Structures are given as C-alpha cells and as structure tokens.
C-alpha cells in the first residue's frame, strides 16, 4: 500500500530544503513540489497585489491525486505551503515550524514586501498550517525544522515509529511575534 506524506508549513520554514535531504535518504521515494506542479501545469488564475500566484486549489488537488494514482513508488512525498489547505486522503501531514527570527531573515533575503512578510510571520506565529492540517488530516505532526535531529524525527514519522520523537503537540511561537514587531516598526500591525 502506498504511503503518502505531506510536508507543509509557512513560507521560509525550510520545506524544500528538508524535502531534498529526505529524498537523498529515502531512495526510491517520489518527491513532488507543489510550487513546481503549479508552475508546470499553470494551476493559477492570476496574481495578487504582491505578485503571488492565485492558485486554483481544486485543480491542484486533482493533479496531486493523479500523481498518486500514476506513481508506482510506495512512498510519495509532497511538499509545499498550500498543502495544509488541501485534504489528501490517506496522507500523513508534517507541519514544519521555525522560529520567527529565522523565517523573517529568509523571507527578507527572498525580497518579500514588508506586508507579505508580516502576514507570513503572523501565520507562523498563530500556527495557521498546524490548525488547518489538524482539520484536514487524520494524522498530523509538528516538527521544528531547525532541530538538529529533524531528519531523524521525520524518518521516524514516515516509517510509522514516531512515538515520543514527534508528537501531535502544537508548537507555540506566538510569544516570538511581539518582540519582532516591536523591533521593526515597518512590520507593525
């Protein structure tokens, strides 16, 4: 039986980097980026005021389901921030979390406008992806991406041996938001 793993989280937490590292450790697994899928299949209807693609979520879900059916590998991993908003049956969701200061630096390096950066920091602080995954997936886990044992934790989850390594406990980063906003007047709500 195929195992489907969804790796999601706010932009800047390290989803793509960690998915690539997992790909090297898990030979024979298929790894798909939803960003690549959206771009390749043109699954968007325009752009918002920040230039972000407005993704057709139903179309993205259909493409993911097609890939699941056509892929012959027994382990399929999808990564992308939109995956928390899509219900993919029989999947395990892993929400990568990261400290807000790290996310802020990464988004600034990518050239995110201040308002878009603020929106993403608030989403990470309030655990938007974690809450959505709890609604959309029967099994969801939160793991700190910067944890030195993150790959071991993810491998344990993927192999069904998570036990105490990764729990369904929510990671609270909300207290990190206030100092960041206070230090950066431009990020003020």
């Amino acid at each position: 039986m195929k195992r489907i793993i969804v790796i999601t989280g706010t932009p800047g937490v390290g989803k793509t980097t960690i998915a690539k590292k997992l790909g090297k450790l898990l030979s024979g697994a298929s790894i798909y980026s939803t960003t690549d899928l959206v771009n390749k299949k043109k699954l968007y209807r325009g752009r918002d005021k920040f230039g972000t693609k407005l993704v057709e979520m139903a179309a993205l879900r259909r493409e993911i389901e097609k890939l699941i059916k056509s892929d012959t590998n027994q382990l399929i991993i999808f990564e992308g921030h939109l995956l928390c908003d899509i219900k993919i049956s029989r999947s395990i969701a892993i929400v990568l979390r990261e400290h807000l200061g790290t996310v802020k630096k990464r988004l600034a390096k990518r050239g995110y406008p201040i308002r878009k950066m603020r929106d993403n920091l608030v989403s990470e602080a309030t655990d938007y992806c974690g809450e959505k995954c709890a609604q959309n997936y029967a099994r969801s886990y939160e793991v700190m991406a910067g944890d030195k044992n993150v790959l071991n934790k993810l491998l344990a989850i993927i192999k069904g041996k998570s036990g105490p390594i990764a729990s369904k406990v929510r990671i609270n980063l909300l207290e990190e938001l206030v100092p960041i906003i206070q230090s950066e007047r431009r990020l003020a709500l």
Side-chain angles (χ1 to χ4, degrees), residues 87-155:
K87 187 174 186 173
I88 301 170
S89 59
R90 302 175 325 274
S91 297
I92 296 172
I94 298 170
V95 181
L96 291 181
R97 304 295 306 278
E98 188 54 89
H99 292 287
L100 299 185
T102 302
V103 172
K104 180 181 170 232
K105 287 176 190 172
R106 290 175 181 168
L107 297 181
K109 188 175 180 180
R110 293 179 189 176
Y112 272 45
I114 295 297
R115 287 186 57 200
K116 184 175 179 180
M117 187 185 314
R118 181 200 62 210
D119 291 351
N120 281 287
L121 289 170
V122 169
S123 291
E124 180 63 9
T126 59
D127 195 16
Y128 175 84
C129 289
E131 293 298 322
K132 295 302 274 185
C133 281
Q135 294 169 15
N136 288 326
Y137 297 91
R139 293 182 291 167
S140 67
Y141 300 88
E142 291 193 11
V143 178
M144 287 299 289
D147 184 326
K148 66 180 179 175
N149 294 317
V150 67
L151 290 175
N152 290 331
K153 289 179 180 183
L154 295 178
L155 289 171

Side-chain angles (χ1 to χ4, degrees), residues 25-47:
L25 293 172
L26 298 166
S27 60
S30 295
I31 299 182
Y32 296 101
S33 161
T34 57
T35 301
D36 292 346
L37 191 57
V38 165
N39 291 332
K40 180 180 178 185
K41 299 285 186 169
K42 296 185 180 12
L43 303 175
Y44 54 93
R45 63 182 182 282
R47 295 179 183 268

